[in-house]
Amino acid sequence: MPSLAITNRPLSLGDIVGRSFRIFRLNIKLIAQVLLLPTILLCVGRIGFILGLTHLSKGASGFDSLPIWGSLALGGLILLLVGGFILYLRLIALVRIFTGFATNYVEANKFARQRLWALVGLTLAAFAATILVILMLAVAIGLCVALFAAKGIYLVAGAVGMVIATVFGFFLLLFMSVVGHMCLSSMAIEEDDLGALISHSIALSSRSFFRSILFYLLTTTSVALLAYPLSLPLVVIIVGYSISQGIITGSHHSSSDLPVYLQIISQVWEQLISMIVTPISFTCFGLFYCDLRMRQEGLDLVERVESMQAANSPELELQ
């Protein structure tokens, strides 16, 4: 296992985020080269899916054109899935490099490609867990609302239950997001199976629950502060067009009211922004994963011992 040259000591939350931005700035050429292909696939997929779905929803193309637009939407959806998995695998490879577990992209990408089925499994598990949590919260809130019809102590119990369910659901969804990002980071570093990765990520995050939640909010806010200014030119163009066409003051506010060329520009622009902010977010959580392992499991000490053993092994063989 390579030495953790980039993350050889625990860092504060602010230092982790700041270091992630610096890593992105220093490796922007590599990141652009690595993410170009999946970004193109996602752009084409989003354009095809949006255009196909827009024409199908309007129903103005005639029955004969429905298979064409349906095929376009389906092809776009397939490209989105393929491009998404390629993007995440390449982001995993980048995280492996930026955390010091690979010396070059070829080595990191070879490792990342072996994690494809683990990534598919994690995607399905995250989707199922999200649906389950939403259903549980819906049932809890429904029971609380039912108590509102009563009087006295039941009304108070319903109000208290509503507050508890809302707060608990908010933190549970945040924690699930943290665990999901931690699983992706561990996938870039560890060689364990998916079950071990998920249980390890839950253990690391739960032992530093509030620190993990705070880090998630800090990372999300930092990335959003970068993304919003980058989105501003597109917002100005769309708002300017909408005002000139009277769309904003009218009764329709759908993005389908925009001309095709603006929809295409919007999809491409948003994907380019994602190409910038997503690697930063992944790097943040990769460094945070290593930081938690150093704090809780002494990962830095283990790495130093392994490095010393590797350095001394030739001498031992000679003796």
Side-chain angles (χ1 to χ4, degrees):
M1 186 180 296
S3 173
L4 292 178
I6 298 179
T7 55
N8 56 5
R9 61 183 177 85
L11 302 171
S12 68
L13 300 184
D15 287 337
I16 293 175
V17 175
R19 181 165 295 193
S20 300
F21 275 84
R22 288 195 298 273
I23 290 174
F24 174 82
R25 186 175 65 252
L26 295 174
N27 296 275
I28 189 169
K29 183 178 179 180
L30 171 64
I31 293 172
Q33 292 174 344
V34 169
L35 301 186
L36 180 60
L37 174 60
T39 298
I40 292 174
L41 292 177
L42 289 172
C43 285
V44 176
R46 291 180 68 173
I47 292 170
F49 183 72
I50 293 296
L51 292 181
L53 203 63
T54 298
H55 284 82
L56 287 175
S57 62
K58 287 183 176 180
S61 303
F63 181 79
D64 295 338
S65 300
L66 290 181
I68 298 176
W69 296 114
S71 300
L72 182 62
L74 179 60
L77 180 60
I78 293 174
L79 275 180
L80 284 174
L81 291 174
V82 173
F85 279 110
I86 294 176
L87 173 67
Y88 271 61
L89 289 176
R90 295 194 174 193
L91 287 169
I92 287 172
L94 289 174
V95 170
R96 187 168 179 82
I97 296 174
F98 297 154
T99 52
F101 284 86
T103 57
N104 56 71
Y105 177 73
V106 174
E107 176 187 340
N109 189 44
K110 182 179 179 180
F111 178 88
R113 284 198 302 247
Q114 300 173 357
R115 314 301 283 165
L116 173 60
W117 293 112
L119 179 60
V120 173
L122 179 61
T123 302
L124 296 176
F127 178 78
T130 303
I131 296 298
L132 179 61
V133 169
I134 292 176
L135 289 176
M136 291 173 56
L137 291 177
V139 171
I141 292 175
L143 293 175
C144 293
V145 171
L147 292 176
F148 288 164
K151 297 181 180 180
I153 189 65
Y154 295 105
L155 179 60
V156 175
V160 173
M162 179 71 74
V163 173
I164 293 176
T166 302
V167 174
F168 177 77
F170 174 74
F171 278 100
L172 182 58
L173 290 175
L174 281 180
F175 184 72
M176 286 177 56
S177 298
V178 171
V179 171
H181 283 85
M182 294 289 284
C183 286
L184 289 171
S185 299
S186 64
M187 203 175 292
I189 296 171
E190 315 292 350
E191 298 182 2
D192 300 330
D193 57 42
L194 180 60
L197 293 178
I198 293 177
S199 61
H200 189 209
S201 298
I202 292 175
L204 288 174
S205 303
S206 60
R207 287 196 291 262
S208 299
F209 179 81
F210 291 105
R211 190 168 188 268
S212 299
I213 295 296
L214 180 59
F215 177 76
Y216 178 81
L217 295 175
L218 176 62
T219 300
T220 304
T221 302
S222 301
V223 170
L225 290 175
L226 173 64
Y228 286 148
L230 296 176
S231 303
L232 188 58
L234 179 63
V235 173
V236 171
I237 293 174
I238 293 178
V239 171
Y241 175 84
S242 301
I243 293 176
S244 66
Q245 299 297 318
I247 296 177
I248 292 181
T249 57
S251 59
H252 300 286
H253 305 277
S254 174
S255 60
S256 61
D257 293 320
L258 298 175
V260 173
Y261 73 90
L262 271 185
Q263 294 187 48
I264 293 176
I265 292 174
S266 174
Q267 297 303 318
V268 172
W269 193 281
E270 290 177 4
Q271 197 57 52
L272 290 176
I273 294 175
S274 177
M275 183 179 176
I276 295 174
V277 300
T278 306
I280 297 175
S281 178
F282 267 67
T283 304
C284 283
F285 277 95
L287 297 181
F288 183 65
Y289 175 84
C290 293
D291 182 81
L292 288 185
R293 285 206 60 191
M294 282 186 279
R295 292 175 183 272
Q296 299 180 17
E297 301 174 355
L299 179 62
D300 53 336
L301 300 178
V302 174
E303 288 298 314
R304 291 173 186 174
V305 170
E306 290 183 357
S307 298
M308 293 174 61
Q309 290 176 345
N312 294 330
S313 58
E315 299 178 3
L316 295 175
E317 291 177 359
L318 290 174
Q319 294 176 357

